[in-house]
Amino acid sequence: MKNATPLLLLLLVAPMAASAAEIRSTIVDSVQLTVDAPGVQSTRIGSQYTVSGSNVNATTLGGLTIGSATAPPALTDGAYAIGTNNQAFTFSESAIVGDVAVTSQTSLSSGGRVETPNIYGNSMQYQGGTPGSLAGTLSPTGIPTVTAGGSGTSAIGQRTVELTVFN
């Protein structure tokens, strides 16, 4: 019997050591609500004047005056005539009047929008989102819920469940 006791103890302890493990369970709930911001991107354009032609005489060339910080350049008239009568001719005149520098930008309204932006010749305006009924709820017993908002909004509800077993 003395010889069987260590064997009996070994058989009783071995299953206990094999089943000793740590189990960890983690549940993370989250809600992310986003409302897009408004913005204005605006690029000033410069002034240019172009005239070209064939069989055309220029008495006075047209052009642009020099603008100032508060006024754009102005277009000046030119005087042109056909060079040789009864002959083919071509004539082209174009002008782009550039932007005057804006010294201050309108501030955002209470709704977070640019109500009356100062814009240049090449501009893009981004409207901000409207929250509307945008909402999210975390519940200790259930999955997070989200409610859609107005345009320019997003809502993400997420539940992550992690189960880890260590030996």
Side-chain angles (χ1 to χ4, degrees), residues 53-56 81-84 86-92:
S54 63
N55 192 26
V56 174
I82 296 175
T84 305
N86 299 324
Q87 296 291 320
F89 72 96
T90 61
F91 179 77
S92 174

Side-chain angles (χ1 to χ4, degrees), residues 141-154:
T141 60
I143 297 173
T145 59
V146 293
T147 304
S151 62
T153 64
S154 66

